[in-house]
Amino acid sequence: KILFPATELVDILNLETCETTTRGMFVTMLIGMYDSNKNDVTLATAVHEPPLIYTNDGNFSNFEEAGPPLGIAPKFKFKETKINFSNSSMYIFTDGITEIKDTQGNMLESDGFKNYIKKYQQSPNHERLNKIVEDIIKSGRIQKDDLTIVVVDSL
């Protein structure tokens, strides 16, 4: 039994972060609760980049209900969104992935990241992320930020 909604926790953390961080500092996070009986995930997010959901039939769906990072807007009320999560993979990542640039200064962006996901989706979860990051780095892109990716595959 859930004691309180994920959004309540995000709201509390946001207020605390606004009160205690130095100006210009912020925190990104995502809270998710998976219901294996219903094959859905309830998400509350405070992120730069909303997660990408890649279904086994080869389609992407963007998760659009992303709130601002924690520590920026103390009165912002975060929302929960429930999404179907069967035969899918969810990619949670920092903006260091999408903002990495090639030698001409062009950012990878979400569409470029999607190409790497498609390329390695058939690899086992524990190998997939290593292959994606290695391929991005070997492509000659210039890294100036962290390259953080988490993937969760549905059961």
Side-chain angles (χ1 to χ4, degrees):
K1 178 93 174 143
I2 297 171
L3 298 177
F4 54 86
T7 53
E8 188 174 325
L9 177 58
V10 177
D11 287 342
I12 292 167
L13 291 170
N14 183 48
L15 187 57
E16 180 68 21
T17 304
C18 287
E19 291 175 357
T20 59
T21 58
T22 306
R23 186 179 174 117
M25 301 297 288
F26 58 87
V27 176
T28 60
M29 67 174 291
L30 176 139
I31 294 176
M33 290 174 269
Y34 176 64
D35 185 333
S36 60
N37 294 322
K38 297 179 182 176
N39 289 322
D40 64 30
V41 175
T42 302
L43 297 173
T45 66
V47 296
H48 278 307
E49 299 285 344
L52 293 172
I53 293 58
Y54 186 67
T55 59
N56 288 354
D57 63 4
N59 294 308
F60 282 96
S61 62
N62 283 12
F63 177 77
E64 299 294 336
E65 195 60 56
L70 303 181
I72 293 177
K75 295 181 181 181
F76 187 85
K77 293 298 178 194
F78 291 85
K79 297 177 184 173
E80 277 184 351
T81 300
K82 190 173 290 199
I83 59 168
N84 179 283
F85 193 61
S86 60
N87 301 310
S88 304
S89 295
M90 180 183 308
Y91 290 84
I92 305 156
F93 52 98
T94 60
D95 60 351
I97 297 293
T98 54
E99 293 178 1
I100 194 168
K101 295 180 181 179
D102 63 19
T103 54
Q104 287 77 42
N106 301 311
M107 289 192 290
L108 181 63
E109 298 183 344
S110 182
D111 287 339
F113 181 46
K114 288 177 183 179
N115 292 331
Y116 286 100
I117 291 171
K118 289 179 197 174
K119 183 175 181 179
Y120 294 111
Q121 183 63 24
Q122 298 308 313
S123 298
N125 184 311
H126 65 281
E127 294 175 11
R128 189 178 328 147
L129 296 181
N130 285 335
K131 289 180 177 182
I132 290 172
V133 171
E134 285 175 13
D135 199 351
I136 289 172
I137 291 171
K138 287 179 183 176
S139 71
R141 294 186 178 272
I142 302 159
Q143 181 184 354
K144 295 196 177 194
D145 201 351
D146 67 291
L147 301 179
T148 304
I149 310 170
V150 174
V151 63
V152 179
D153 294 329
S154 63
L155 301 176

